Amino acid sequence: MQDARFERVLLRRPDLRTSFPRKFAARLRTQTVVRVDRRGKYLLIELSSGDTLVMHLGMSGSFNVEAGSSARAEADKHDHVVFEMSPSATITFNDPRRFGFMDLVTRKAMAGHATLSKLGPEPLSPDFDAAVLARACKGKKTSLKVALLDQRVVAGIGNIYASEALHRAGLSPRRKASTIATRGGAPLDSAVRLTAAIKAVLIDAIDCGGSYAADGGRFRVYEREGNHCLTKGCRGSIKRITQIGRSTFFCPVCQK
DNA sequence: ATTGAGACCTGTCGGC
DNA sequence: TGCCGACAGGTCTCAA
């Protein structure tokens, strides 16, 4: 991908949830890829022009990469963007629900970017530890589940993994986020467990190829309402509640 | 400032 | 069979 060059950019369906910036295709053309990066759920492609191509897959977005210079023989109705690259490759962005988006951000604008610059730590980096999580939750009036979905607390946790991590940590999603904050500067035991659980859940997810990879049913609580809790020795059953309009799955017996 | 509700979009599924 | 409503996901906008 590095040094690849954008030869042609086709917007087949430009009306995604957030519209493309003006002259999107023209600004990309002839640019080469300097670096490919990621922050939270955002994909960042640094270009030779100094601009960064910021992309988000929303919930149903995906990329298809093929050798050759022409788009798929039969374009899918949800193929919204096609990048023709050199050396010869075609990258197609497909997104049935159109929640994904793309933006071009200048070097100057990256630094103070309204969303990107406020993202919390990367959960799998050493920067993310119990003390950092505890500090981010300090004074928060929201529930623990809602705090985990806040990308400023920690970057990249979505609705599924928020439930999964809380179950592994044995913490109730309804508990106030501030109750895991530090006491006398030292992170509480629950912050230590939650930090470890977040990392473990994400590592497992990556190993399995993501939430929607084949062989479903590997979640411990997500979409398991009414089923028995998988925690060793726990005889509880999984409940579903709604928090800020989203489903939360948890075991009321072993998550405190 | 922080928080929550609503909007956005479409495929799928259950119920009638 | 077909229609209809509910629901899923992530983030932005707007209003308390």
Side-chain angles (χ1 to χ4, degrees):
Chain A
M1 186 66 184
Q2 198 169 329
D3 294 331
R5 183 175 130 115
F6 288 85
E7 295 299 340
R8 206 152 73 97
V9 176
L10 284 78
L11 297 188
R12 303 189 63 248
R13 175 94 200 236
D15 56 331
L16 300 182
R17 179 172 60 85
T18 304
S19 53
F20 288 85
R22 288 175 55 245
K23 301 180 182 174
F24 178 77
R27 284 172 65 188
L28 276 176
R29 198 172 303 126
T30 76
Q31 296 305 313
T32 58
V33 173
V34 173
R35 204 157 62 99
V36 177
D37 206 353
R38 178 194 59 75
R39 272 292 278 137
K41 300 169 191 166
Y42 296 83
L43 303 170
L44 308 173
I45 312 293
E46 196 182 318
L47 305 168
S48 44
S49 60
D51 290 349
T52 298
L53 171 59
V54 177
M55 305 188 283
H56 196 295
L57 296 175
M59 65 165 291
S60 60
S62 67
F63 287 105
N64 177 270
V65 183
E66 287 178 289
S69 57
S70 61
R72 301 189 209 197
E74 287 182 38
D76 183 272
K77 69 189 271 207
H78 301 303
D79 285 349
H80 306 314
V81 186
V82 179
F83 298 126
E84 290 183 10
M85 314 293 294
S86 76
S88 178
T90 302
I91 301 172
T92 306
F93 174 67
N94 181 283
D95 185 8
R97 295 189 191 174
R98 293 163 59 212
F99 268 33
F101 58 84
M102 295 189 185
D103 197 5
L104 269 171
V105 183
T106 62
R107 199 195 305 274
K108 197 175 169 187
M110 276 302 276
H113 193 279
T115 304
L116 292 174
S117 68
K118 293 186 176 62
L119 285 177
E122 285 295 322
L124 293 181
S125 86
D127 298 343
F128 180 64
D129 60 23
V132 166
L133 178 64
R135 208 174 305 134
C137 287
K138 195 171 182 178
K140 271 209 168 284
K141 295 203 174 11
T142 56
S143 66
L144 212 37
K145 161 76 179 323
V146 172
L148 289 186
L149 290 180
D150 184 345
Q151 302 297 298
R152 296 168 305 180
V153 170
V154 51
I157 311 285
N159 197 46
I160 296 173
Y161 298 126
S163 282
E164 292 295 314
L166 287 166
H167 181 257
R168 287 202 197 201
L171 296 170
S172 170
R174 293 194 274 215
R175 187 169 153 161
K176 277 253 180 305
S178 57
T179 64
I180 69 158
T182 58
R183 181 185 296 151
L188 299 180
D189 176 59
S190 38
V192 174
R193 277 186 286 131
L194 185 52
T195 308
I198 289 168
K199 289 176 189 270
V201 159
L202 294 180
I203 287 168
D204 280 3
I206 292 165
D207 286 347
C208 292
S211 318
Y212 294 103
D215 93 316
R218 52 186 188 72
F219 296 128
R220 299 192 189 178
V221 288
Y222 185 72
E223 287 191 331
R224 289 194 65 247
E225 181 179 19
N227 290 299
H228 66 279
C229 177
L230 297 175
T231 299
K232 201 183 243 180
C234 180
R235 302 185 59 84
S237 70
I238 306 307
K239 298 283 179 286
R240 184 176 81 95
I241 58 173
T242 298
Q243 294 178 292
I244 55 161
R246 325 209 77 91
S247 284
T248 299
F249 297 87
F250 74 113
C251 172
V253 176
C254 68
Q255 290 182 251
K256 299 296 180 194

